[in-house]
Amino acid sequence: MVAVIVLLVTGLTGSAQSAKNSYLTAGYGVIVGGAVLAAGIGLLRGRRWGRAIAVITQLLLLGVAWYMVTSDRWDLAVPFGAVSLGALVLLFAPASNRWMAAGYDTSPE
């Protein structure tokens, strides 16, 4: 959200190369950030739909980490990749699977 604010300010002050691009990128950030925020709130409230958004987000972050590896930015790639892999492990942990299965009145195999 900090990046969204910076993009809006640079667009409003005229210091951006293209104010239109600043506004569009900020809008995209609000949409994606809102979806991630909604997923987190959904998971905290016990909603199963939040898990799907969280998994997609973590897979996208793995792609970002891989891009950082190929750009020789290991200092950023390792933390991004570790957090993303850790979150994926927790999202697919046996306790998480039991929680998901409980909503469908089935037990995981």
Side-chain angles (χ1 to χ4, degrees), residues 10 12 15-16 21 33 39 45 48 51-52 57 62 73 83 87 89 92 96 98-99 101 109:
T10 57
L12 290 172
S15 58
N21 285 346
R45 292 187 176 177
R48 292 187 311 267
R51 186 178 182 201
T57 302
L62 274 179
R73 290 303 309 261
V83 169
V89 166
F92 289 107
S96 298
R98 282 192 299 277
W99 172 70
E109 299 178 1

Side-chain angles (χ1 to χ4, degrees), residues 14-15 17 27 35 43 45 50-53 58 60 63 69-70 74 76 88 93 97 100-101 104:
S15 58
Q17 287 181 345
L43 285 172
R45 292 187 176 177
R51 186 178 182 201
I53 298 171
Q58 297 312 314
L60 288 172
V69 166
T70 61
W74 288 90
L76 296 173
L88 281 170
N97 288 333
M100 281 292 292
Y104 295 105

